[in-house]
Amino acid sequence: MNLMVFGAPGAGKGTQAKFLIEKYDIPQISTGDILRAAIADKTDMGMEAKNFMDAGKLVPDSTIIGIIKDRLAQDDCKKGFILDGFPRTLGQAEALSELMSNMNISLDKVISLNVPDELIVGRITGRRVCSSCGASFHVDFNPSKKEDICDYCESELIIRKDDNAETVKSRLGAYHDQTAPLIDFYTKMGVMVELDGTKDVSEVTADMFTALSK
Ligand code: AP5
Ligand code: ZN
């Protein structure tokens, strides 16, 4: 199964991707997580990406497409994968189509989580993420069982550097200008599934699995 979770920052892509990993036993490919790991490792790519991410802007397509090309070539992607936070521009979407066509594979479904902007700020400012596995929690809507400890791997939960009210505005701007047009791109491809992402986490998960079973 080759899947994509799509939506605005804070729409719940990472949260729902974790349930897809458990159900289908396929890897999640989050460009955001890969870039944050590169920043932590102080690689050249990480240092270049950091300024864009801290400002809530998109990292250049050439960097992102290179990341995806390397990641999809790895053995664990042969059984399928979940793209999370990629693609975010038409250029990235076209590069992905070409890459997948060269690999003789295709996208099965794009799960779009629809959440209006006015709910996004509260979701992002209340988010806590695992410092080790990247899992997302929310202080009110999706709390971890033990405060500040990850349910999956027991590592410490932290606040992401770009999770502040100011940066969220730029991230939403980038989403509407550069990423939202991809809804049309994937609708025309016939793989788009639009879900109401404002429901509770478990209801969104149930709707997603129903859509995937069709
Ligand atoms: P990235 O890490 O991809 O961030 P994002 O798209 O802004 O998305 P988030 O991770 O913030 O949100 P999410 O949808 O995964 O939500 P979550 O499940 O955590 O990218 C960061 C930066 O990296 C970008 O700004 C850019 O600079 C760069 N970048 C990355 N990819 C790139 C690319 N392809 N091209 C160019 N640049 C790129 O949920 C959010 C919160 O809400 C959590 O607290 C969660 O617990 C809670 N929540 C989830 N679901 C629900 C629900 N149903 N009800 C209530 N609360 C919920
Ligand atoms: Zn964890």
Side-chain angles (χ1 to χ4, degrees):
M1 189 88 100
N2 300 323
L3 302 172
M4 182 190 300
V5 277
F6 182 90
K13 303 182 293 293
T15 301
Q16 296 302 334
K18 293 285 178 221
F19 298 111
L20 293 171
I21 300 172
E22 280 174 11
K23 183 160 170 111
Y24 297 111
D25 190 27
I26 50 178
Q28 171 192 15
I29 304 178
S30 158
T31 38
D33 286 350
I34 293 170
L35 291 168
R36 279 184 287 278
I39 292 174
D41 290 345
K42 296 194 165 57
T43 67
D44 290 347
M45 181 182 79
M47 292 304 99
E48 185 212 326
K50 188 177 184 307
N51 293 331
F52 291 98
M53 293 173 77
D54 286 351
K57 293 183 181 159
L58 294 184
V59 173
D61 280 359
S62 53
T63 306
I64 300 290
I65 293 164
I67 289 176
I68 290 292
K69 207 171 172 184
D70 291 348
R71 186 64 187 88
L72 289 184
Q74 288 174 19
D75 273 352
D76 63 337
C77 292
K78 289 207 173 89
K79 55 186 177 177
F81 48 81
I82 307 151
L83 294 170
D84 166 5
F86 173 89
R88 269 169 141 104
T89 64
L90 200 53
Q92 292 180 18
E94 284 165 350
L96 176 67
S97 294
E98 194 188 330
L99 199 57
M100 291 183 77
S101 155
N102 291 341
M103 295 168 78
N104 280 320
I105 55 174
S106 54
L107 266 178
D108 292 296
K109 288 258 175 0
V110 175
I111 304 287
S112 176
L113 304 172
N114 296 344
V115 179
D117 287 8
E118 52 272 24
L119 291 185
I120 294 291
V121 177
R123 281 200 185 184
I124 283 191
T125 48
R127 170 163 55 188
R128 300 292 180 269
V129 293
C130 176
S131 51
S132 174
C133 76
S136 262
F137 301 88
H138 191 283
V139 286
D140 299 317
F141 310 138
N142 184 25
S144 54
K145 291 189 185 89
K146 283 187 237 161
E147 202 185 339
D148 293 331
I149 300 291
C150 176
D151 286 356
Y152 298 95
C153 71
E154 306 224 318
S155 301
E156 186 197 4
L157 299 182
I158 54 165
I159 299 176
R160 257 169 59 176
K161 192 155 186 276
D162 58 345
D163 277 355
N164 56 72
E166 200 47 48
T167 308
V168 172
K169 284 188 205 146
S170 324
R171 284 159 65 192
L172 277 171
Y175 172 75
H176 289 295
D177 293 346
Q178 293 168 271
T179 310
L182 299 186
I183 295 175
D184 204 33
F185 183 90
Y186 288 111
T187 302
K188 284 185 182 142
M189 203 184 271
V191 290
M192 189 59 143
V193 176
E194 295 201 59
L195 299 182
D196 178 357
T198 67
K199 295 181 183 177
D200 284 349
V201 172
S202 59
E203 290 178 285
V204 178
T205 309
D207 289 350
M208 180 173 71
F209 286 143
T210 301
L212 288 173
S213 67
K214 285 180 185 160

mmCIF file of all heavy atoms in Angstrom, residues 171-199:
data_model
loop_
_atom_site.group_PDB
_atom_site.id
_atom_site.type_symbol
_atom_site.label_atom_id
_atom_site.label_comp_id
_atom_site.label_asym_id
_atom_site.label_seq_id
_atom_site.Cartn_x
_atom_site.Cartn_y
_atom_site.Cartn_z
ATOM 1 N N ARG A 171 3.385 29.334 8.210
ATOM 2 C CA ARG A 171 3.197 27.949 7.728
ATOM 3 C C ARG A 171 1.833 27.808 7.060
ATOM 4 O O ARG A 171 1.706 27.137 6.034
ATOM 5 C CB ARG A 171 3.357 26.967 8.898
ATOM 6 C CG ARG A 171 4.824 26.795 9.276
ATOM 7 C CD ARG A 171 5.011 26.283 10.681
ATOM 8 N NE ARG A 171 4.514 24.942 10.895
ATOM 9 C CZ ARG A 171 4.370 24.391 12.100
ATOM 10 N NH1 ARG A 171 4.700 25.085 13.186
ATOM 11 N NH2 ARG A 171 3.923 23.176 12.217
ATOM 12 N N LEU A 172 0.819 28.456 7.625
ATOM 13 C CA LEU A 172 -0.513 28.393 7.004
ATOM 14 C C LEU A 172 -0.509 29.127 5.654
ATOM 15 O O LEU A 172 -1.136 28.685 4.699
ATOM 16 C CB LEU A 172 -1.568 29.003 7.932
ATOM 17 C CG LEU A 172 -2.104 28.069 9.012
ATOM 18 C CD1 LEU A 172 -2.975 28.838 10.000
ATOM 19 C CD2 LEU A 172 -2.904 26.919 8.401
ATOM 20 N N GLY A 173 0.228 30.266 5.605
ATOM 21 C CA GLY A 173 0.334 31.010 4.343
ATOM 22 C C GLY A 173 0.970 30.140 3.267
ATOM 23 O O GLY A 173 0.479 30.058 2.135
ATOM 24 N N ALA A 174 2.062 29.455 3.630
ATOM 25 C CA ALA A 174 2.751 28.578 2.666
ATOM 26 C C ALA A 174 1.813 27.454 2.233
ATOM 27 O O ALA A 174 1.766 27.068 1.064
ATOM 28 C CB ALA A 174 4.015 28.002 3.299
ATOM 29 N N TYR A 175 1.041 26.942 3.192
ATOM 30 C CA TYR A 175 0.110 25.849 2.861
ATOM 31 C C TYR A 175 -0.914 26.313 1.816
ATOM 32 O O TYR A 175 -1.099 25.662 0.786
ATOM 33 C CB TYR A 175 -0.607 25.340 4.123
ATOM 34 C CG TYR A 175 -1.701 24.355 3.763
ATOM 35 C CD1 TYR A 175 -1.370 23.060 3.371
ATOM 36 C CD2 TYR A 175 -3.046 24.732 3.754
ATOM 37 C CE1 TYR A 175 -2.353 22.160 2.974
ATOM 38 C CE2 TYR A 175 -4.030 23.846 3.364
ATOM 39 C CZ TYR A 175 -3.686 22.562 2.980
ATOM 40 O OH TYR A 175 -4.651 21.680 2.574
ATOM 41 N N HIS A 176 -1.557 27.456 2.076
ATOM 42 C CA HIS A 176 -2.611 27.905 1.142
ATOM 43 C C HIS A 176 -2.039 28.284 -0.224
ATOM 44 O O HIS A 176 -2.640 27.966 -1.248
ATOM 45 C CB HIS A 176 -3.406 29.058 1.758
ATOM 46 C CG HIS A 176 -4.269 28.593 2.889
ATOM 47 N ND1 HIS A 176 -5.321 27.722 2.700
ATOM 48 C CD2 HIS A 176 -4.207 28.822 4.214
ATOM 49 C CE1 HIS A 176 -5.879 27.448 3.868
ATOM 50 N NE2 HIS A 176 -5.215 28.107 4.808
ATOM 51 N N ASP A 177 -0.866 28.937 -0.223
ATOM 52 C CA ASP A 177 -0.303 29.381 -1.505
ATOM 53 C C ASP A 177 0.260 28.234 -2.329
ATOM 54 O O ASP A 177 0.063 28.160 -3.527
ATOM 55 C CB ASP A 177 0.864 30.378 -1.279
ATOM 56 C CG ASP A 177 0.359 31.678 -0.686
ATOM 57 O OD1 ASP A 177 -0.854 31.898 -0.695
ATOM 58 O OD2 ASP A 177 1.208 32.460 -0.200
ATOM 59 N N GLN A 178 1.027 27.354 -1.665
ATOM 60 C CA GLN A 178 1.825 26.395 -2.434
ATOM 61 C C GLN A 178 1.343 24.945 -2.354
ATOM 62 O O GLN A 178 1.584 24.168 -3.265
ATOM 63 C CB GLN A 178 3.287 26.467 -1.971
ATOM 64 C CG GLN A 178 3.920 27.817 -2.325
ATOM 65 C CD GLN A 178 5.243 28.015 -1.627
ATOM 66 O OE1 GLN A 178 5.314 28.524 -0.508
ATOM 67 N NE2 GLN A 178 6.309 27.588 -2.262
ATOM 68 N N THR A 179 0.662 24.589 -1.253
ATOM 69 C CA THR A 179 0.336 23.168 -1.057
ATOM 70 C C THR A 179 -1.124 22.843 -1.382
ATOM 71 O O THR A 179 -1.395 21.811 -2.011
ATOM 72 C CB THR A 179 0.668 22.749 0.400
ATOM 73 O OG1 THR A 179 2.006 23.170 0.703
ATOM 74 C CG2 THR A 179 0.558 21.254 0.587
ATOM 75 N N ALA A 180 -2.055 23.712 -0.983
ATOM 76 C CA ALA A 180 -3.482 23.409 -1.205
ATOM 77 C C ALA A 180 -3.818 23.114 -2.681
ATOM 78 O O ALA A 180 -4.686 22.274 -2.952
ATOM 79 C CB ALA A 180 -4.348 24.542 -0.652
ATOM 80 N N PRO A 181 -3.128 23.759 -3.654
ATOM 81 C CA PRO A 181 -3.431 23.419 -5.054
ATOM 82 C C PRO A 181 -3.246 21.926 -5.395
ATOM 83 O O PRO A 181 -3.786 21.443 -6.390
ATOM 84 C CB PRO A 181 -2.438 24.286 -5.859
ATOM 85 C CG PRO A 181 -2.153 25.450 -4.960
ATOM 86 C CD PRO A 181 -2.186 24.892 -3.569
ATOM 87 N N LEU A 182 -2.518 21.199 -4.556
ATOM 88 C CA LEU A 182 -2.316 19.775 -4.840
ATOM 89 C C LEU A 182 -3.592 18.958 -4.628
ATOM 90 O O LEU A 182 -3.691 17.826 -5.107
ATOM 91 C CB LEU A 182 -1.194 19.205 -3.959
ATOM 92 C CG LEU A 182 0.187 19.833 -4.144
ATOM 93 C CD1 LEU A 182 1.221 19.087 -3.344
ATOM 94 C CD2 LEU A 182 0.575 19.853 -5.608
ATOM 95 N N ILE A 183 -4.575 19.524 -3.930
ATOM 96 C CA ILE A 183 -5.856 18.800 -3.755
ATOM 97 C C ILE A 183 -6.430 18.520 -5.140
ATOM 98 O O ILE A 183 -6.864 17.401 -5.435
ATOM 99 C CB ILE A 183 -6.835 19.618 -2.888
ATOM 100 C CG1 ILE A 183 -6.271 19.754 -1.462
ATOM 101 C CG2 ILE A 183 -8.229 18.972 -2.858
ATOM 102 C CD1 ILE A 183 -7.078 20.646 -0.533
ATOM 103 N N ASP A 184 -6.387 19.521 -5.982
ATOM 104 C CA ASP A 184 -6.878 19.394 -7.346
ATOM 105 C C ASP A 184 -6.055 18.370 -8.144
ATOM 106 O O ASP A 184 -6.592 17.529 -8.865
ATOM 107 C CB ASP A 184 -6.761 20.794 -7.986
ATOM 108 C CG ASP A 184 -7.707 20.955 -9.124
ATOM 109 O OD1 ASP A 184 -8.788 20.365 -9.059
ATOM 110 O OD2 ASP A 184 -7.342 21.652 -10.099
ATOM 111 N N PHE A 185 -4.741 18.442 -7.960
ATOM 112 C CA PHE A 185 -3.811 17.536 -8.670
ATOM 113 C C PHE A 185 -4.163 16.070 -8.366
ATOM 114 O O PHE A 185 -4.286 15.242 -9.274
ATOM 115 C CB PHE A 185 -2.384 17.872 -8.192
ATOM 116 C CG PHE A 185 -1.266 17.105 -8.847
ATOM 117 C CD1 PHE A 185 -0.650 17.586 -10.001
ATOM 118 C CD2 PHE A 185 -0.800 15.918 -8.298
ATOM 119 C CE1 PHE A 185 0.394 16.890 -10.595
ATOM 120 C CE2 PHE A 185 0.247 15.219 -8.889
ATOM 121 C CZ PHE A 185 0.853 15.708 -10.033
ATOM 122 N N TYR A 186 -4.373 15.758 -7.068
ATOM 123 C CA TYR A 186 -4.629 14.359 -6.697
ATOM 124 C C TYR A 186 -6.099 13.966 -6.900
ATOM 125 O O TYR A 186 -6.402 12.787 -7.065
ATOM 126 C CB TYR A 186 -4.131 14.083 -5.264
ATOM 127 C CG TYR A 186 -2.615 14.045 -5.244
ATOM 128 C CD1 TYR A 186 -1.875 15.035 -4.609
ATOM 129 C CD2 TYR A 186 -1.927 13.051 -5.933
ATOM 130 C CE1 TYR A 186 -0.483 15.028 -4.640
ATOM 131 C CE2 TYR A 186 -0.533 13.036 -5.970
ATOM 132 C CZ TYR A 186 0.176 14.022 -5.329
ATOM 133 O OH TYR A 186 1.552 14.010 -5.377
ATOM 134 N N THR A 187 -6.990 14.948 -6.907
ATOM 135 C CA THR A 187 -8.388 14.638 -7.228
ATOM 136 C C THR A 187 -8.459 14.201 -8.693
ATOM 137 O O THR A 187 -9.092 13.186 -9.020
ATOM 138 C CB THR A 187 -9.279 15.875 -6.979
ATOM 139 O OG1 THR A 187 -9.124 16.256 -5.615
ATOM 140 C CG2 THR A 187 -10.757 15.561 -7.245
ATOM 141 N N LYS A 188 -7.775 14.948 -9.544
ATOM 142 C CA LYS A 188 -7.765 14.588 -10.978
ATOM 143 C C LYS A 188 -7.115 13.216 -11.196
ATOM 144 O O LYS A 188 -7.485 12.496 -12.110
ATOM 145 C CB LYS A 188 -7.013 15.652 -11.785
ATOM 146 C CG LYS A 188 -7.857 16.906 -11.985
ATOM 147 C CD LYS A 188 -7.179 17.917 -12.881
ATOM 148 C CE LYS A 188 -8.030 19.167 -13.011
ATOM 149 N NZ LYS A 188 -7.217 20.395 -13.045
ATOM 150 N N MET A 189 -6.162 12.858 -10.347
ATOM 151 C CA MET A 189 -5.501 11.555 -10.474
ATOM 152 C C MET A 189 -6.428 10.421 -10.012
ATOM 153 O O MET A 189 -6.157 9.244 -10.252
ATOM 154 C CB MET A 189 -4.212 11.580 -9.632
ATOM 155 C CG MET A 189 -3.164 10.591 -10.065
ATOM 156 S SD MET A 189 -1.751 10.632 -8.933
ATOM 157 C CE MET A 189 -0.733 11.869 -9.668
ATOM 158 N N GLY A 190 -7.506 10.785 -9.286
ATOM 159 C CA GLY A 190 -8.493 9.786 -8.852
ATOM 160 C C GLY A 190 -8.125 9.058 -7.568
ATOM 161 O O GLY A 190 -8.675 7.991 -7.281
ATOM 162 N N VAL A 191 -7.189 9.622 -6.778
ATOM 163 C CA VAL A 191 -6.755 8.923 -5.557
ATOM 164 C C VAL A 191 -7.107 9.699 -4.274
ATOM 165 O O VAL A 191 -6.808 9.244 -3.169
ATOM 166 C CB VAL A 191 -5.230 8.652 -5.576
ATOM 167 C CG1 VAL A 191 -4.878 7.606 -6.618
ATOM 168 C CG2 VAL A 191 -4.440 9.938 -5.823
ATOM 169 N N MET A 192 -7.763 10.847 -4.426
ATOM 170 C CA MET A 192 -7.985 11.729 -3.282
ATOM 171 C C MET A 192 -9.168 11.281 -2.420
ATOM 172 O O MET A 192 -10.239 10.998 -2.943
ATOM 173 C CB MET A 192 -8.258 13.136 -3.823
ATOM 174 C CG MET A 192 -8.309 14.189 -2.785
ATOM 175 S SD MET A 192 -6.737 14.193 -1.930
ATOM 176 C CE MET A 192 -6.475 15.852 -1.643
ATOM 177 N N VAL A 193 -8.958 11.235 -1.099
ATOM 178 C CA VAL A 193 -10.042 10.977 -0.149
ATOM 179 C C VAL A 193 -10.037 12.138 0.835
ATOM 180 O O VAL A 193 -9.049 12.333 1.545
ATOM 181 C CB VAL A 193 -9.803 9.669 0.643
ATOM 182 C CG1 VAL A 193 -10.882 9.469 1.686
ATOM 183 C CG2 VAL A 193 -9.720 8.485 -0.284
ATOM 184 N N GLU A 194 -11.101 12.919 0.877
ATOM 185 C CA GLU A 194 -11.133 14.065 1.797
ATOM 186 C C GLU A 194 -11.915 13.688 3.049
ATOM 187 O O GLU A 194 -13.061 13.254 2.966
ATOM 188 C CB GLU A 194 -11.753 15.270 1.100
ATOM 189 C CG GLU A 194 -10.879 15.741 -0.056
ATOM 190 C CD GLU A 194 -11.150 17.174 -0.465
ATOM 191 O OE1 GLU A 194 -11.008 18.072 0.381
ATOM 192 O OE2 GLU A 194 -11.513 17.368 -1.637
ATOM 193 N N LEU A 195 -11.283 13.875 4.209
ATOM 194 C CA LEU A 195 -11.931 13.527 5.482
ATOM 195 C C LEU A 195 -12.085 14.768 6.354
ATOM 196 O O LEU A 195 -11.286 15.709 6.257
ATOM 197 C CB LEU A 195 -11.088 12.498 6.243
ATOM 198 C CG LEU A 195 -10.842 11.145 5.570
ATOM 199 C CD1 LEU A 195 -10.036 10.255 6.500
ATOM 200 C CD2 LEU A 195 -12.159 10.459 5.202
ATOM 201 N N ASP A 196 -13.099 14.731 7.227
ATOM 202 C CA ASP A 196 -13.303 15.809 8.193
ATOM 203 C C ASP A 196 -12.299 15.612 9.333
ATOM 204 O O ASP A 196 -12.473 14.742 10.185
ATOM 205 C CB ASP A 196 -14.749 15.742 8.706
ATOM 206 C CG ASP A 196 -15.026 16.811 9.748
ATOM 207 O OD1 ASP A 196 -14.096 17.559 10.112
ATOM 208 O OD2 ASP A 196 -16.184 16.894 10.201
ATOM 209 N N GLY A 197 -11.232 16.427 9.339
ATOM 210 C CA GLY A 197 -10.172 16.287 10.340
ATOM 211 C C GLY A 197 -10.488 16.984 11.645
ATOM 212 O O GLY A 197 -9.642 17.013 12.542
ATOM 213 N N THR A 198 -11.698 17.548 11.779
ATOM 214 C CA THR A 198 -12.042 18.242 13.033
ATOM 215 C C THR A 198 -12.644 17.275 14.064
ATOM 216 O O THR A 198 -12.814 17.639 15.215
ATOM 217 C CB THR A 198 -13.067 19.381 12.803
ATOM 218 O OG1 THR A 198 -14.318 18.807 12.401
ATOM 219 C CG2 THR A 198 -12.593 20.360 11.741
ATOM 220 N N LYS A 199 -12.960 16.048 13.623
ATOM 221 C CA LYS A 199 -13.523 15.084 14.580
ATOM 222 C C LYS A 199 -12.444 14.631 15.564
ATOM 223 O O LYS A 199 -11.246 14.902 15.345
ATOM 224 C CB LYS A 199 -14.050 13.868 13.818
ATOM 225 C CG LYS A 199 -15.226 14.157 12.889
ATOM 226 C CD LYS A 199 -15.649 12.865 12.236
ATOM 227 C CE LYS A 199 -16.768 13.044 11.247
ATOM 228 N NZ LYS A 199 -17.100 11.769 10.590
#
